[in-house]
Amino acid sequence: MTRPTSRDLRARSVLAGEASAAAAELEAALQTPPVTHAAAFFDVDNTMVQGASVYHLARGLYRRKFFSTAEIARKAVDQLRFRLQGETPESVANARSSALSFIAGHRVSEVQILVEEIFDELMADRIWPGTKALAQQHLDAGERVWLVTAAPVEVARLLARRLGLTGALGTIAETRDGVYTGALVGDILHGPAKAEAVRALASHEGLELASCAAYSDSVNDLPMLELVGNPVAVNPDNKLRRHAQVAGWRVLDYRVGRRAARRALLTAGALGVTLGAVSAAVAIRGCVRSRRVS
């Protein structure tokens, strides 16, 4: 298999960003835009929603017989790794190779209905109240608020509607005759692709990026964060926290209880329970719980 060049990766990022921005523009055209030239852009996973939204979607689809037990177990382990380590090049590459393949052959209308069901079932209670309040502050100031995520745009749009936001930019799945092919348009909306999407949308909407804000938890979103005048690190990974502190950016963390829980696990490890054993137990419990519910 030929390894993609940096030029190929750049082209895919641009295509993904432009495709997501174009889809968002159609949605925005149905609304009367505010006068202000400022907007806020929010990452979703671990910034607006606890955990990885695509995992919650996959778990819900498993309950509806889209997956085998072995597949959901692998996704549970991936989710645990995501929570403990954050995004890594390896996790992103794995996501790219399998992104949205599970909906191949299914009708768009069918998946949209399932996304709504799964959101209410597994995601609605996982929204960070603090981040939601930040988004509302921008809305109250008359600014547009967009979600920008590597998650499927169908999930992002639904979350934006439920929160009363302007719209969403997300990964675009290819369709033919109303059926998903399992392929992506361009690439996952991740890293540089997010910045391309924000830049394209800002150009179309007449936004002044220097007056805009962006929020994320991951160092991988630096291209988007550095594009705006007011970048904010929310629930940041260690690398983003260090970068934000050096750059003088605001840092907000709503994970106080989660940090305490992690400290408790590490203390237990010192008493003889290794973190690896705890991690395995959590992954297995998640899988078993999914099987029982289904």
Side-chain angles (χ1 to χ4, degrees):
M1 181 177 179
T2 304
R3 188 172 184 176
T5 65
S6 59
R7 180 177 296 180
D8 292 332
L9 294 174
R10 164 71 174 169
R12 290 196 307 199
S13 291
V14 171
L15 179 57
E18 291 179 345
S20 187
E25 288 166 12
L26 290 175
E27 191 174 11
L30 301 177
Q31 305 178 25
T32 302
V35 177
T36 178
H37 296 293
F41 301 94
F42 285 80
D43 172 51
V44 171
D45 293 351
N46 285 331
T47 302
M48 183 65 74
V49 175
Q50 298 176 33
S53 53
V54 72
Y55 165 77
H56 300 311
L57 175 62
R59 187 174 171 217
L61 291 176
Y62 167 74
R63 293 180 175 181
R64 291 156 177 82
K65 310 303 180 183
F66 274 64
F67 294 104
S68 67
T69 300
E71 288 171 326
I72 197 63
R74 284 196 298 271
K75 292 182 185 300
V77 172
D78 288 343
Q79 166 69 354
L80 183 64
R81 186 180 296 115
F82 181 88
R83 284 172 178 260
L84 294 179
Q85 299 177 355
E87 297 176 359
T88 65
E90 179 183 6
S91 67
V92 173
N94 290 338
R96 181 180 292 114
S97 65
S98 62
L100 307 184
S101 60
F102 50 81
I103 60 174
H106 292 275
R107 299 200 64 80
V108 173
S109 56
E110 173 195 5
V111 173
Q112 288 176 338
I113 292 172
L114 292 177
V115 166
E116 293 216 23
E117 293 178 357
I118 293 168
F119 179 88
D120 292 334
E121 180 183 310
L122 297 174
M123 296 175 63
D125 293 336
R126 294 179 178 272
I127 297 170
W128 290 109
T131 313
K132 179 181 177 181
L134 288 172
Q136 188 60 48
Q137 288 176 11
H138 285 282
L139 292 173
D140 292 343
E143 299 176 0
R144 283 159 279 189
V145 178
W146 299 84
L147 299 177
V148 188
T149 177
V153 72
E154 292 83 356
V155 175
R157 284 174 177 166
L158 176 59
L159 177 57
R161 287 199 302 273
R162 294 295 178 85
L163 295 179
L165 309 183
T166 308
L169 302 163
T171 297
I172 304 293
E174 182 184 73
T175 63
R176 290 178 187 166
D177 300 323
V179 176
Y180 289 106
T181 67
L184 302 178
V185 176
D187 206 345
I188 294 176
L189 198 73
H190 179 269
K194 285 188 177 182
E196 295 294 342
V198 169
R199 185 180 288 110
L201 184 64
S203 176
H204 181 272
E205 296 287 301
L207 299 173
E208 297 174 358
L209 288 172
S211 301
C212 293
Y215 300 81
S216 178
D217 72 296
S218 174
V219 71
N220 292 306
D221 284 341
L222 277 180
M224 177 179 74
L225 292 168
E226 293 177 335
L227 195 62
V228 302
N230 182 23
V232 182
V234 179
N235 304 330
D237 59 32
N238 290 333
K239 289 183 178 179
L240 179 58
R241 182 182 293 276
R242 288 195 295 270
H243 185 97
Q245 290 171 341
V246 171
W249 296 352
R250 278 196 300 160
V251 176
L252 304 173
D253 202 325
Y254 304 117
R255 301 169 299 178
V256 176
R258 297 167 70 80
R259 287 202 304 272
R262 183 176 296 184
R263 285 196 297 269
L265 284 176
L266 293 175
T267 301
L271 295 175
V273 181
T274 67
L275 182 59
V278 174
S279 299
V282 172
I284 293 171
R285 184 177 62 185
C287 178
V288 171
R289 183 180 299 153
S290 293
R291 294 186 64 186
R292 287 176 177 171
V293 173
S294 66

